[in-house]
Amino acid sequence: MIEQYRGKTGTDPGDMTMQENELITDVFNEKSLKNAIYSAILMSLIDRELHEKEWEVIQAFADEHWLEEYEDFDQYQEVIKKEIINEVEIIIADPLLLKQKIEAIVEDLIPDLTLPQKNLVLNLVGDVMVADGIMTLEESKLFAVFMDKMGLQIY
C-alpha cells in the first residue's frame, strides 16, 4: 500500500506527518467502497439523471480509492449503474421509500468506516449532488438524512 501511495503522489511516507501517514493505511474495504459509490450514484439520480459531471466526481473517487485486488471497476460500474437505474424510478417515485433506501445503505456502510472515511464519503456524496450546479430542496433534505444516519451534523 505504501508503494502504491508513493507511486501516485511521489511522496515518501517517511516525510509525512502522522495524520498524513494514517491516511495511507486508512483504506476502504471493497464492500464499503462499493457501498459509498452506490450511495453517490443513487444520490445523483434523485433528479432522475446521472449527469456527466456527477459521474466524473464518482470516477475520480473510485480512481483514488479502488485497489487492484478488487473486482474490475469497469465491470462493477456497468452492473451497478444498471441495477440502480432499474430500481430508481420506483424508489424516487416514493419519497418514504427513497429515504428508507438511503438509511439502509448508510446503516450497511457505517460499521466499516473510520471517521476520516465517513468524511470522505460525505464529501463524495455532497460533491456529486452539486456537480450539476444545482442542489434541489429534495436533494438537500436527503443529504441531511444521509449525514444524520452517518452520525455527523452541521453546526
Side-chain angles (χ1 to χ4, degrees), residues 10-113:
T11 303
D12 182 353
D15 295 336
M16 292 187 283
T17 66
M18 182 182 280
Q19 184 179 13
E20 291 169 329
N21 221 341
E22 285 175 11
L23 292 176
I24 291 175
T25 58
D26 202 16
V27 176
F28 286 90
N29 67 42
E30 186 172 4
K31 176 187 167 216
S32 63
L33 185 57
K34 285 179 175 182
N35 281 339
I37 291 168
Y38 182 95
S39 300
I41 294 171
L42 179 62
M43 297 296 266
S44 75
L45 288 169
I46 290 170
D47 64 359
R48 293 174 173 77
E49 185 177 351
L50 180 57
H51 300 275
E52 185 177 333
K53 289 182 180 185
E54 293 169 334
W55 180 249
E56 288 172 2
V57 171
I58 295 167
Q59 183 69 54
F61 183 84
D63 288 347
E64 185 175 342
H65 298 284
W66 200 269
L67 300 180
E68 287 182 19
E69 61 262 23
Y70 296 167
E71 171 186 355
D72 179 68
F73 181 72
D74 291 334
Q75 289 177 344
Y76 169 73
Q77 59 101 8
E78 287 301 320
V79 169
I80 203 66
K81 278 186 193 176
K82 287 177 187 172
E83 179 183 314
I84 293 174
I85 289 169
N86 287 338
E87 68 179 325
V88 80
E89 287 300 321
I90 296 165
I91 294 171
I92 290 178
D94 183 347
L96 180 60
L97 187 59
L98 178 58
K99 181 178 183 270
Q100 291 171 340
K101 180 71 171 183
I102 290 168
E103 289 173 340
I105 291 167
V106 174
E107 286 173 6
D108 192 41
L109 180 62
I110 57 175
D112 295 326
L113 298 180

Side-chain angles (χ1 to χ4, degrees), residues 109-132:
L109 180 62
I110 57 175
D112 295 326
L113 298 180
T114 64
L115 184 58
Q117 288 173 332
K118 286 181 182 181
N119 287 323
L120 287 171
V121 172
L122 281 174
N123 287 335
L124 167 65
V125 171
D127 289 349
V128 165
M129 293 179 81
V130 298
D132 63 357

